[in-house]
Amino acid sequence: MPAQAYAGKPCVCQLRRGICDQSCVRDMLAVPFYMACLRLAGRRCLVVGGGEVGLEKVEGLLACGAAVTLVAPEAHPALEALAVEGSIEWEARGYSRDDLDGMFLVIAATGDSEVNIDVSHDAESRAMLVNVVDVPPLCNFILPAVVRSGPLAIAISTAGASPALAKRMKREIAELFGEEYAELAMILNEARGWAKATLPSFQRRRDFFEAIVNGEPDPIGLLRAGDEAGVRALVEAAQHAAAAV
């Protein structure tokens, strides 16, 4: 159950129950989420709230190349530093619905339920992407735990049921899929142009790449042993075999 929605606590969602009865999240775990990866480079994104959670969200957006605006009367020192160096724009005041003008998405990370509800309502009325931290009923997208290595990104979601479990899974997945997977992805990406130009059908291109990834010797094993040349030799052999068909 999300930390901000449990029986007996003051309501934090748009239902305004007064005291939470969990009705807003009763069917949450049954909701299927459409998993997607967003290209945020150069897109304008808004974060409302300047505390530690706001800092975490700002850093995540900056890591993806977003153009970030922060709206908060006060901000964490690290956010102030980002504003001073020009990495983000900081509007040192309270939220206004006009702050959504021209934004691609908004994340609300305030401790004020009414502000969070206003952000969610205003964004939904504009058909915008909105996330209110730890209040799933106010969100139309959620932020999974993400393992990143080079071009690889593995997302883990428990639909808000247990962030602690998602963190454990993130740690274990990072140990299981190390840098060699990212290295293999980059090597295979180099072969994509050849495959598209040489192999006339999706099925043949699929078979080409699967023969490398699932073949013998194992390319991941070779990379773990430091044998990048061996992997490139596998790719070259697969190219010759595919072109001969």
Side-chain angles (χ1 to χ4, degrees), residues 185 187-198 205 208-209 239:
I187 292 173
L188 294 176
N189 184 61
E190 294 173 7
R192 288 182 66 196
W194 176 90
K196 287 184 177 181
T198 309
R205 292 191 293 271
F208 164 71
F209 285 109
Q239 288 175 326

Side-chain angles (χ1 to χ4, degrees), residues 152-205:
L152 298 183
I154 304 172
I156 306 103
S157 172
T158 61
S162 178
L165 177 58
K167 288 181 180 179
R168 172 177 172 169
M169 294 173 66
K170 175 181 177 179
R171 182 175 64 253
E172 293 180 357
I173 288 172
E175 294 172 356
L176 180 61
F177 298 101
E179 293 182 2
E180 61 274 4
Y181 283 85
E183 188 175 356
L184 179 59
M186 290 186 284
I187 292 173
L188 294 176
N189 184 61
E190 294 173 7
R192 288 182 66 196
W194 176 90
K196 287 184 177 181
T198 309
L199 306 177
S201 69
F202 168 81
Q203 182 174 349
R204 288 186 62 186
R205 292 191 293 271

Side-chain angles (χ1 to χ4, degrees), residues 25-90:
V25 294
R26 192 160 291 139
D27 299 320
M28 183 184 69
L29 298 185
V31 175
F33 284 93
Y34 184 80
M35 305 302 287
C37 298
L38 301 178
R39 179 178 294 178
L40 296 183
R43 295 188 184 274
R44 298 182 64 200
C45 298
L46 176 67
V47 175
V48 182
E52 290 187 1
V53 177
L55 172 61
E56 176 189 342
K57 303 309 176 186
V58 165
E59 290 178 335
L61 291 170
L62 289 177
C64 295
V68 180
T69 296
L70 171 71
V71 171
E74 298 179 350
H76 189 284
L79 288 169
E80 291 186 3
L82 289 172
V84 169
E85 72 185 26
S87 294
I88 65 172
E89 295 183 11
W90 175 27

Side-chain angles (χ1 to χ4, degrees), residues 5 9 12 17 42 44 47 77 101 114 118 135 148 151 166 177 222 238 241:
K9 183 176 182 178
V12 297
R17 298 295 196 200
R44 298 182 64 200
V47 175
D101 291 349
E114 291 303 316
D118 286 344
V135 190
R148 294 187 186 277
F177 298 101
L222 291 174

Side-chain angles (χ1 to χ4, degrees), residues 79-155:
L79 288 169
E80 291 186 3
L82 289 172
V84 169
E85 72 185 26
S87 294
I88 65 172
E89 295 183 11
W90 175 27
E91 299 290 342
R93 54 170 174 75
Y95 165 75
S96 166
R97 67 178 302 162
D98 292 339
D99 293 326
L100 299 179
D101 291 349
M103 296 294 173
F104 180 70
L105 65 77
V106 56
I107 298 174
T110 83
D112 188 322
S113 296
E114 291 303 316
V115 172
N116 290 340
I117 291 170
D118 286 344
V119 172
S120 177
H121 179 269
D122 294 342
E124 283 281 9
S125 69
R126 297 175 180 227
M128 282 180 59
L129 293 170
V130 57
N131 176 272
V132 177
V133 176
D134 210 18
V135 190
L138 296 178
C139 305
N140 58 26
F141 78 97
I142 60 174
L143 295 169
V146 178
V147 178
R148 294 187 186 277
S149 180
L152 298 183
I154 304 172

